[in-house]
Amino acid sequence: MDIIMEDQEDDWMIHAYDDGDARTLQTTLRIRLSESIKHLVLAVPRPDFGVYAPVYGSGDVSTNAKESGALIAKVNISLNVQLVSGYPLLEIVKTQLIAIADNFTQSALAVSNSIDTLALSNGTLDSAFGQFNNASGEFFYLITQGLTGYLNELDTKLDKSISTMLDDGLQEVNSELIRLAVLMDSLKAKLKLAVKAAASNEIPKAVLRQYVPTNLTNQISKSVITLKAGIPLVTYIIANSIENLKTADDYIIASGTAASQTFDDVSKGLENLETEVQQYSDDTSEITAIIDPVYKANFNFSGVNLSSIPLIQNQMNEYTVTYTTDLNSTIADIKQYYETYKQAIPLVSDGLGAFYSTNACGHLVRLVKVLISNGPYADYCYNKYSPRSFALFDQQSREVSRCVDQEITRLLKLQQVLRAMAKTLLFDIEDVLAQVTLCSRSPLVCNTNEVETLFNNVNIAARRHQNTMRNIVKYETVAGLNRLSACFSTSKYMLVIAINNMIPEMDQCAKMGPYV
């Protein structure tokens, strides 16, 4: 058994314990000792706002200052987007926005950190409040003067939407910071009176409450909360403006793709016309197929004594030249006209890319500026006109296709005319054998200058028919190329007119939003 002696005055007593009771007593003593130490620590005044005293609301001020710092740090998150379109204006605007974000973040973090530090500071008063005053002063300078160059550059390149929104958001933060600075000056003055009254930096609660009203510290807490609430707006303006830059960058790339697709569609349409021209050129050989059987059937004079009618025999020799050598020459000429036409077709679209760059980008540039200016209707107008701006290229491609379709239809009609004329050539020779056979039976009557002239006139008419066939193809292919070129040019300037009509609509949308 163990004997424990305790002081009676301090409620200590002598008891007899066995070993089990001794262990219980040791545990009890350790707990009481721990609680005594805790009370001793809590008895030391907590440092707040440059004094050793628990100033009402300091914990809330510190918490909200830390949360403000976390919000401020988000301003710079994901701002350095990659712009790949190569449009200089986007890079210029991005540079200004990132510079504004960097300066705001640096200065605003200095303010929030100084508030947090001040709320938990143990002094001296001048030192504790001095850091806040310096940070808030630098922030005030940044808002009133430090960002002017960046904002002016934005106003020069765009309209004033971004700078107006930023000015609104930053001025609200700055106005609240000025109000907070006034409250902090008042708190500092009252804390100085309390320190003087207590003759120490450790201020009793009664003295603290006498000189520092809770309403003042409550206003400071609410002011810091208001400051925190103003930061997300600045974050939104910058982040949204940067996001619009990326959207604009993607749009520029997509517009290039749309223009390239239109160029490809135009080229394919012209290639289709080339194919058709080549086909009709090849089909010219059908003229020979139409004439040749009839020619061979009617110019087989093996059973006819042509020597008895030499004048007529000479004409038949001329006929042979007309329906062989001359006809082959006619067909060769027609093929060459088609070939000349075919080779000229691709040249119709020469300079289309340069035309797009020079004349067909106005609406794209305007819509990009509407979007990145970030006005009140920027997103609405962009979503309204971005697909329509691409559609203009599709419409031009469709118009070119119409031009091509028209010329293909005319080529078909031309081919029908050539076939009809080839058949008229048959009329001149389909009964020649019968006529010459009869003539050979009456040489005295038939072998005359008069009959020879009649045969010659028919042959001349056949040659004229062939010459007409040449000229029709020649003139029609030239006219077809001219029509195609004119139609193609019209399609380009119809595009320009549509673009010029769309730009004022975009301007109206940017100013007024949806309108009927």
Side-chain angles (χ1 to χ4, degrees), residues 497-516:
I497 291 171
I499 288 171
N500 290 339
N501 289 337
M502 183 175 284
I503 291 174
E505 291 181 12
M506 291 176 176
D507 292 337
Q508 179 77 359
C509 181
K511 293 177 182 178
M512 306 298 294
Y515 61 93
V516 179

Side-chain angles (χ1 to χ4, degrees), residues 25 93 100 116 139 216 231 280 302 323 377 379 421 444 464-465 480 504:
L25 177 61
V93 174
I100 291 171
D116 181 31
F139 186 82
L216 174 59
I231 293 167
Y280 287 122
S302 58
Y323 282 87
Y377 302 109
D379 290 339
M421 294 188 72
L444 295 177
R464 285 175 178 171
H465 267 80

Side-chain angles (χ1 to χ4, degrees), residues 27 33 84 100 238 262-263 278 406 420 430 476 481 497 512:
T27 301
L33 180 60
V84 297
I100 291 171
I238 296 175
T262 298
F263 189 86
Q278 183 61 55
Q406 283 183 333
E430 61 186 357
E476 181 56 26
L481 183 62
I497 291 171
M512 306 298 294

Side-chain angles (χ1 to χ4, degrees), residues 125-126 129 182-196 211-212 216:
L125 280 172
D126 289 337
F129 281 87
V182 172
L183 293 173
M184 288 293 194
D185 285 343
S186 178
L187 176 61
K188 178 183 177 183
K190 293 183 182 300
L191 285 173
K192 280 191 172 184
L193 292 175
V195 168
K196 183 177 180 181
Y211 287 93
V212 182
L216 174 59

Side-chain angles (χ1 to χ4, degrees), residues 200-252:
S200 171
N201 207 34
E202 296 183 14
I203 308 172
K205 288 184 178 180
V207 175
L208 183 66
R209 293 299 176 91
Q210 179 183 354
Y211 287 93
V212 182
T214 57
N215 181 54
L216 174 59
T217 53
N218 183 53
Q219 289 185 57
I220 290 174
S221 294
K222 291 194 292 186
S223 179
V224 174
I225 292 172
T226 302
L227 269 179
K228 182 180 71 174
I231 293 167
L233 176 60
V234 178
T235 303
Y236 162 77
I237 295 168
I238 296 175
N240 184 250
S241 298
I242 290 287
E243 182 181 351
N244 283 352
L245 289 179
K246 180 58 179 172
T247 301
D249 193 61
D250 293 340
Y251 170 73
I252 291 171

Side-chain angles (χ1 to χ4, degrees), residues 366-422:
R366 183 64 192 121
L367 188 56
V368 165
K369 292 192 74 171
V370 168
L371 177 62
I372 65 177
S373 291
N374 208 5
Y377 302 109
D379 290 339
Y380 168 79
C381 296
Y382 171 74
N383 283 283
K384 179 177 181 179
Y385 284 102
S386 58
R388 299 184 188 191
S389 64
F390 294 159
L392 295 185
F393 292 108
D394 291 338
Q395 290 169 7
Q396 196 241 342
S397 172
R398 180 58 260 174
E399 184 64 20
V400 172
S401 296
R402 184 187 68 82
C403 300
V404 169
D405 290 342
Q406 283 183 333
E407 293 312 311
I408 290 175
T409 300
R410 290 184 174 112
L411 284 172
L412 174 61
K413 292 180 179 179
L414 175 61
Q415 191 70 3
Q416 292 171 346
V417 170
L418 290 177
R419 287 175 179 172
M421 294 188 72

Side-chain angles (χ1 to χ4, degrees), residues 22 27 73 142 173 188 200 240 276 308 321 342 410 484 515:
T27 301
L142 176 71
V173 173
K188 178 183 177 183
S200 171
N240 184 250
E276 291 290 333
S308 64
V321 172
K342 186 184 77 171
R410 290 184 174 112
L484 181 65
Y515 61 93

